Amino acid sequence: MSGAGAPDAPSTPPASGAAGTPGAADAPSPERARHHLARTDTELARITEDLIDILIARGVIQFTDFPAEAQAKLLQRRQSRAALSRRLQLLDDPGDAIL
């Protein structure tokens, strides 16, 4: 019910778990939560790599600002992505089509 100047109440109350925690009844299983975190960790790692590349390209940071171990990991990932990209391009080469 709306009163003068009073906001409308939500149409459905939030779910409560056993301990009265809102949304606890809708919480994913531990296995689903672990899977979600693993998937988003991978996505976040890629975003972080892209951000590092952008900051380096804009001169905000230098590659040598990173510790040697981080430089080695970044270089290894760049090389792995480049090798995979070359392999995928070879697979898409229309000159290799069999008629």
Side-chain angles (χ1 to χ4, degrees), residues 3 6 10 32 73 75 79 94:
R32 284 189 71 191
K73 288 178 183 180
L75 284 174
Q79 291 168 351

Side-chain angles (χ1 to χ4, degrees), residues 10-76:
S11 59
T12 57
S16 295
T21 305
D26 297 329
S29 70
E31 183 60 32
R32 284 189 71 191
R34 278 191 293 274
H35 176 72
H36 174 74
L37 285 174
R39 183 177 51 81
T40 57
D41 283 352
T42 302
E43 293 169 357
L44 187 57
R46 181 59 195 259
I47 291 168
T48 302
E49 289 177 55
D50 290 345
L51 177 60
I52 289 169
D53 289 342
I54 290 167
L55 294 175
I56 289 172
R58 292 185 180 176
V60 175
I61 59 174
Q62 300 294 316
F63 185 74
T64 55
D65 291 342
F66 292 97
E69 297 84 11
Q71 291 179 31
K73 288 178 183 180
L74 288 167
L75 284 174
Q76 180 60 45

